[in-house]
Amino acid sequence: MRGSEIAIKTSRLRKVFDNIVAVDDIDLDIRVGSITALLGGNGAGKTTTMAMLLALLQPTSGDIFLLGKNLLQERATIARNINFSSPYVDLPNRLTVRQNLTVYGHMYGVENLKQRITTLSDQLHITELLDRKHGTLSAGQRTRATLAKSLLNKPRLLLLDEPTASLDPDTADWVRTLLQAYCKAEGATIFMASHNMYEVERMCDDVIVMQRGRVVDRGSPKKLIETYSRENLEEVFLDIARNRNAAT
């Protein structure tokens, strides 16, 4: 694929903490417009990989290119076109939802910010929450507010960590639908970490499985299910995890 068709590219990406190799020379190429999941158990290297893609951690070695630009060299330029959401990273709790969205909107230079906040509030059903302090919201309400923040700047690349955590099944379903529609309408790319195998099966074009810092398998949900002769992706995940653990 040409460089313009790649949203995320890493080359021999490696991160070492003291003597612990958290990410071990991984090569990724995530195509523009795709929804890709990064799977793995605790300690697989998912969180460290995400942190390096967000420039929160500097790689020990290797290169990262986002939207065709070198992350270490052009971080400021890239930042305008990406965003991130995680239920485990809170917005400032003393600010209202509206204040949070306004602050982040100005940081991203969002035009017609009031209208953008209104549109996202309607889409994510948080209009009635706008003037409540973030710290008073339930876990599910916080997840929706954080998702609104992540879509403010209409990112070309959206990184998500457990995007529907704490949401009830109905709300989680329409959030998945909204994210898929956003990706299609904007030509955006979504790269997500999730432990929800149903969610990954439904949303994702491609799945990357990590274990002990390395990529151990990759393919579409359908392809992985067929390859491992399983009924669903959760069985595939368990099969990979248990076989790899048994071999060590």
Side-chain angles (χ1 to χ4, degrees), residues 23 27 84 90 114 163 170 172 174 181 183:
V23 174
D27 297 326
F84 170 71
D90 255 342
K114 288 185 178 180
D170 179 54
W174 63 253
C183 193

Side-chain angles (χ1 to χ4, degrees), residues 48-59 64 66 71-72 75 82 159:
T48 302
T49 299
M50 279 285 196
M52 287 190 286
L53 294 178
L54 288 164
L56 299 176
L57 285 176
Q58 185 167 341
I64 301 173
L66 302 183
L71 179 60
L72 296 181
R75 178 178 175 182
I82 69 171
L159 303 176

